[in-house]
Amino acid sequence: MTDFTNAFWDWYVGIVTIVSILACGLLLWIAGKTTVKTGADKINDGTTGHVWDEDLRELNNPLPLWWMWLFVVTIIFSIVYLIIFPGLGSFKGLLMWSQEKEHAIDVKALAAQHAPLYAKYATQTVEQLSKDPQALKLGERLFTNNCAQCHGSEGRGSKSYPNLTNPDSAWLGARDYAHIVKTVTEGRIGVMPPMAAAVGDDEKISDLTQYVLSLSASPHDRDKAAKGSASFATCSACHGADGRGNKLLGAPNLTDSYWLYGSGAEVIKQSILNGRSNVMPAQAGKLSPEQIRIVSAYVLSLGPKVSGQP
């Protein structure tokens, strides 16, 4: 069905475009040949027959010759253009030009232009990069252009987007250079499955919510939290028996004050009921390996310094 729909619109666009060009040519030809005859005896007196204020008549003068030929040149140009470049549905034109090819050429040219700038950082360790002011400035610019849309210009994140300035314990994964490079390169997918069926009815979900709040010493109902501690066994496989999370799985630490999706009983309840899903797109297709190294060093510089070899 999709192929048929695409084929229909390809033909539709192509036919409408060709008919429109031919119609413009036909209209120009008719306008140049047609004369208007007015009056009772239909005499061609050089007017259109329109009269205002009793004696103000609209003349039927032909288009200036240069203006008419300008229309002809425009029609010819449009025909030649549609033969050379895409514009008639699925026809790609004789030059086979496309936006994707043009973009790829521009990206390749830009990469070649910037290659000498990044080449000197290719063999430096993370310690050297983190102490190089120029490298960190480059990293900041790369971060602003590619990461700040989600993580904020200062890396402090927002709701559902991690705060990169947090201490190590609040990170969903290891806060070291190798992990950051891997995450920037390959992206990251975080999923918490819905747990309502495993926990039980609304009352048990409410009790578990209060228990999760108690782990971080947030305001909670002590009696309900005590009853909810048993239900937390369904969560401990990922978050650990003590709720401190698991960095290998990317499971958050529930005992600190940092909440990725917001705090409070309602937010936690929704996480239990519906689960959570978050995606960081891979940057390997957008950034070169050298650029990833530099932006990773900058990310590492946003919080506590950690040594590590690339």
Side-chain angles (χ1 to χ4, degrees):
M1 185 64 180
T2 302
D3 292 339
F4 173 79
T5 302
N6 292 338
F8 168 78
W9 286 113
D10 287 340
W11 279 99
Y12 176 83
V13 170
I15 292 173
V16 169
T17 302
I18 293 174
V19 170
S20 298
I21 293 174
L22 294 177
C24 288
L26 181 62
L27 179 62
L28 184 64
W29 181 81
I30 292 174
K33 294 293 184 180
T34 302
T35 58
V36 179
K37 295 182 179 181
T38 62
D41 52 358
K42 299 297 182 181
I43 298 175
N44 180 16
D45 61 356
T47 71
T48 64
H50 300 152
V51 182
W52 297 272
D53 298 332
E54 298 182 358
D55 60 352
L56 182 61
R57 298 176 182 275
E58 180 183 2
L59 298 179
N60 184 34
N61 292 327
L63 288 172
L65 194 60
W66 67 268
W67 199 346
M68 184 191 71
W69 279 109
L70 187 61
F71 276 112
V72 173
V73 170
T74 301
I75 292 172
I76 295 173
F77 173 82
S78 63
I79 294 173
V80 174
Y81 181 92
L82 291 173
I83 292 174
I84 297 176
F85 295 100
L88 296 175
S90 60
F91 178 63
K92 298 183 182 302
L94 298 180
L95 293 182
M96 301 295 288
W97 182 92
S98 70
Q99 296 181 78
E100 291 79 8
K101 288 182 180 179
E102 194 72 16
H103 176 68
I105 292 173
D106 290 343
V107 169
K108 187 175 181 179
L110 187 63
Q113 180 182 349
H114 289 170
L117 178 64
Y118 294 103
K120 64 179 181 179
Y121 302 116
T123 58
Q124 291 187 12
T125 64
V126 61
E127 291 90 345
Q128 292 170 326
L129 289 173
S130 63
K131 295 176 182 178
D132 188 323
Q134 185 179 6
L136 291 180
K137 285 182 179 179
L138 286 174
E140 183 179 13
R141 292 171 187 168
L142 290 169
F143 183 89
T144 300
N145 291 333
N146 298 278
C147 314
Q149 295 87 341
C150 295
H151 294 287
S153 59
E154 296 181 347
R156 296 186 180 278
S158 61
K159 187 176 181 181
S160 79
Y161 299 107
N163 183 344
L164 303 178
T165 68
N166 272 338
D168 300 11
S169 61
W171 274 54
L172 298 179
R175 195 180 188 288
D176 58 47
Y177 183 73
H179 177 76
I180 295 172
V181 169
K182 179 179 176 64
T183 301
V184 174
T185 303
E186 302 175 3
R188 188 176 177 89
I189 299 176
V191 177
M192 171 183 167
M195 301 300 294
V199 175
D201 56 25
D202 289 344
E203 185 65 24
K204 289 185 177 180
I205 291 174
S206 177
D207 293 342
L208 176 58
T209 298
Q210 294 301 315
Y211 178 74
V212 172
L213 284 171
S214 73
L215 292 174
S216 60
S218 300
H220 62 280
D221 185 316
R222 291 186 178 183
D223 294 335
K224 292 178 70 64
K227 291 189 292 183
S229 62
S231 298
F232 189 75
T234 60
C235 313
S236 60
C238 294
H239 293 285
D242 56 2
R244 294 187 179 278
N246 186 327
K247 290 186 178 296
L248 293 178
L249 298 177
N253 181 353
L254 303 178
T255 66
D256 58 23
S257 59
Y258 175 65
W259 297 87
L260 183 59
Y261 296 99
S263 60
E266 186 59 31
V267 174
I268 296 173
K269 181 179 178 181
Q270 290 303 315
S271 297
I272 296 171
L273 288 173
N274 305 317
R276 295 289 182 181
S277 180
N278 220 356
V279 177
M280 172 183 165
Q283 300 297 308
K286 297 175 61 179
L287 302 176
S288 68
E290 291 78 13
Q291 290 175 321
I292 290 176
R293 285 169 50 84
I294 293 172
V295 77
S296 297
Y298 174 75
V299 170
L300 196 59
S301 75
L302 294 175
K305 298 295 185 296
V306 178
S307 297
Q309 288 294 118

